[in-house]
Amino acid sequence: MSQVPSKPKRKTAPIPPTPAASTAWVKVPEPSEAPPEVQALFAKFLEKTGLIPNVARNFALLPEHFLRWFRYYDFLMRSEEHSQLSRKEREMIAVVVSSENRCEYCLASHSAYLREISGDPVLPEVLAANYRRADLAPRERALLDFAVKMTQDSPTMSPDDLIPMRAVGLSDEAIFEAAQVAAMFNFTNRLANALGWKPNQEYYYQHRTPKADE
């Protein structure tokens, strides 16, 4: 009895190993490989903070995408003159949305930023664990409730979801800004989670000591 010849096995492309020190599951360019405008931004990061955030190195795989994203992100999160929300409120939204999405990168980095801005090493920990247990002002709680609902179940949202924010005096412009901040972190959280972005280790150690009273 003759045997039916077996089909040759289909060859698949080998999966490249991920270096132990890699900050993403895809290629991360060296700073020296970046175009001049990106290198100039890296130099500003080093001068100001002493490190290049891994998010910047990872995003620089597509330099023009990185530069356009960073301009919007920096304006949204760092602007003082044109913002309806405080830096602390924006960072609180970042931490709570990142907690809901279980984003290792953004939780580490924005918890550090919130510790720096607030001078409170405990607040980011409570927000990350369960923001409902945090000692919050009514305005802060309304903002975070809105950001969480937007993150968890945006298709069911209605005009009623804006009522608590209006009740604590937030304008429509402030509500619009809060929605943008929540949306920004839903975007970056998903990028970071999908591509294995690792935070700089320094974030875990920064600003752990409470600020002394002036």
Side-chain angles (χ1 to χ4, degrees):
M1 182 176 177
S2 61
Q3 294 182 340
V4 178
S6 60
K7 293 182 180 179
K9 292 183 179 179
R10 181 180 297 175
K11 293 183 178 180
T12 57
I15 300 173
T18 302
S22 177
T23 60
W25 297 335
V26 295
K27 182 172 65 176
V28 178
E30 291 297 325
S32 60
E33 299 171 340
E37 193 173 355
V38 172
Q39 289 195 32
L41 194 52
F42 286 176
K44 289 181 180 179
F45 291 144
L46 280 170
E47 181 182 359
K48 186 176 180 180
T49 68
L51 58 84
I52 300 173
N54 288 344
V55 64
R57 292 193 59 206
N58 297 344
F59 224 132
L61 180 60
L62 292 171
E64 190 61 31
H65 290 222
F66 166 59
L67 291 169
R68 290 173 184 268
W69 167 80
F70 183 76
R71 290 185 192 110
Y72 175 43
Y73 163 84
D74 192 51
F75 177 80
L76 182 65
M77 295 302 293
R78 305 287 166 74
S79 174
E80 297 284 1
E81 181 182 355
H82 301 287
S83 181
Q84 307 293 318
L85 306 178
S86 70
R87 285 284 310 279
K88 179 184 175 185
E89 288 168 340
R90 284 173 276 171
E91 291 297 345
M92 289 172 72
I93 292 172
V95 169
V96 169
V97 169
S98 299
S99 175
E100 291 295 315
N101 289 326
R102 292 182 289 178
C103 178
E104 176 190 7
Y105 189 100
C106 294
L107 266 178
S109 59
H110 288 275
S111 290
Y113 300 153
L114 181 55
R115 287 193 297 270
E116 179 183 16
I117 291 166
S118 68
D120 185 348
V122 176
L123 176 62
E125 302 293 330
V126 180
L127 294 180
N130 184 350
Y131 82 97
R132 297 166 187 85
R133 303 286 182 88
D135 184 14
L136 303 174
R139 172 177 160 127
E140 293 169 340
R141 191 168 299 280
L143 284 167
L144 298 184
D145 285 342
F146 174 77
V148 168
K149 178 72 177 289
M150 184 174 161
T151 300
Q152 292 180 336
D153 200 13
S154 61
T156 69
M157 295 184 80
S158 73
D160 290 346
D161 291 300
L162 278 56
I163 292 173
M165 289 187 291
R166 291 194 173 116
V168 294
L170 286 159
S171 65
D172 281 9
E173 290 82 359
I175 293 169
F176 187 19
E177 185 174 335
Q180 288 185 74
V181 174
M184 167 62 73
F185 284 91
N186 275 293
F187 168 69
T188 55
N189 291 168
R190 282 158 175 75
L191 276 181
N193 285 346
L195 299 177
W197 291 359
K198 289 288 184 183
N200 303 65
Q201 290 294 306
E202 290 88 341
Y203 289 136
Y204 292 106
Y205 302 100
Q206 290 174 337
H207 314 295
R208 293 283 181 184
T209 304
K211 289 183 180 178
D213 293 335
E214 296 182 356

